[in-house]
Amino acid sequence: LTWISIPYHQAIPDMAGQPGVVDAEDLCQSVGPSLAAVMRHDSTTGVYLAYACGSVFDTPFALQLGVGYGLVNAEGQTIAWQPPHY
C-alpha cells in the first residue's frame, strides 16, 4: 500500500470509468497492471472506500486534487509511477 495525493497540475487522462470525470479507474489505467485497487478515506463517515481496478460491479469514485489515496499493489508487483502533469 502506497499513499499519494493527486497534484494540482495533474494530467491523468479521462480514458475509462465515468465519462467527463477523472476517477479511480482512470488512475488505474494511468498506473498500469501493477495497481490492484485505489482506496480513500471518507472523513464524513469515518470509513475507507476502495475501488478494485477494472471492476464491473462498482462505480469508480471521482479523484480530488490534494486528497490522499491509497494505491494497493497487485500481488508480487511494485508500483513505480509518477503522475503525468502539464
Side-chain angles (χ1 to χ4, degrees):
L1 178 63
T2 303
W3 289 96
I4 65 162
S5 66
I6 307 300
Y8 74 92
H9 61 297
Q10 65 82 24
I12 298 170
D14 181 16
M15 57 187 156
Q18 302 177 59
V21 178
V22 177
D23 57 33
E25 184 60 33
D26 295 321
L27 182 57
C28 291
Q29 296 295 316
S30 182
V31 174
S34 61
L35 181 60
V38 180
M39 295 175 34
R40 71 178 173 98
H41 184 259
D42 185 340
S43 59
T44 58
T45 61
V47 299
Y48 287 92
L49 304 173
Y51 173 76
C53 295
S55 176
V56 295
F57 300 109
D58 199 7
T59 303
F61 48 80
L63 299 178
Q64 298 174 334
L65 303 181
V67 172
Y69 295 97
L71 304 183
V72 181
N73 300 32
E75 186 174 343
Q77 298 290 316
T78 301
I79 296 174
W81 175 76
Q82 182 174 348
H85 57 280
Y86 56 88

